Amino acid sequence: MDLVWTIMIQLVLSYVATVTFAIITNVPKRALNACGITGTFGWMAYWTLMQMDSGTGASSLAGAFVVAVLSHFFAKYKKMPITIFNVPGIVPLVPGGLAYQAVRNFVLGDYTEAIGFSVQVTVVAGAIAAGLMLSEVFNHSIRAFRGRKERI
């Protein structure tokens, strides 16, 4: 029963965080629910892989990939730019806590810890960028395949 509550809390809070950021960035009202769904699925992909000890890099890559794929889907479905769904959807994956710890340790003079946190932030940020890029390559390949298939 504990796992069910944990999953419910993860679902609700990731949805709320994504929608809240979407509201702050003036996303149109008709896209708010899709933004929330995008962020929630991306976070749950990340969280599930973290529970399986996949590491922050691989988990962030998978989460960003899911966000980008869903953003592409909702952009077509809602006939809106993909960034409306991409930007808020990525917010739960952003390593803000790690970046805070890195800066905090630099200020306190604990440079070894600070560099460790900085490397983690760089890995997560790179994984998020790679996940978004891989999704775009994936979507482009599908479009190219469909184009070739129609010509035949």
Side-chain angles (χ1 to χ4, degrees):
M1 191 67 175
D2 232 11
L3 180 63
V4 173
W5 279 110
T6 302
I7 291 172
M8 291 301 294
I9 289 169
Q10 295 292 326
L11 286 168
V12 169
L13 292 181
S14 61
Y15 181 87
V16 168
T18 305
V19 170
T20 303
F21 188 80
I23 291 169
I24 290 170
T25 56
N26 293 323
V27 168
K29 287 183 182 178
R30 65 187 180 104
L32 289 178
N33 194 38
C35 287
I37 291 168
T38 301
T40 300
F41 274 85
W43 175 256
M44 290 311 291
Y46 168 83
W47 184 78
T48 302
L49 288 174
M50 285 298 289
Q51 298 307 305
M52 296 175 3
D53 292 327
S54 294
T56 55
S59 300
S60 296
L61 178 77
F65 184 80
V66 169
V67 165
V69 168
L70 286 174
S71 295
H72 185 76
F73 169 77
F74 283 125
K76 282 190 166 205
Y77 178 72
K78 298 272 188 183
K79 294 181 176 59
M80 301 174 89
I82 196 168
T83 55
I84 286 178
F85 307 101
N86 251 350
V87 174
I90 288 294
V91 167
L93 302 175
V94 172
L98 290 174
Y100 169 77
Q101 289 297 328
V103 172
R104 180 176 175 270
N105 283 303
F106 272 122
V107 170
L108 293 176
D110 190 359
Y111 299 116
T112 307
E113 278 291 308
I115 290 172
F117 281 117
S118 297
V119 168
Q120 284 182 307
V121 168
T122 304
V123 167
V124 172
I128 290 171
L132 293 173
M133 183 187 67
L134 283 174
S135 171
E136 190 57 38
V137 169
F138 179 71
N139 287 325
H140 181 71
S141 297
I142 288 174
R143 284 188 301 247
F145 177 74
R146 285 182 182 162
R148 284 190 214 116
K149 185 177 173 184
E150 290 174 4
R151 282 184 251 153
I152 296 175

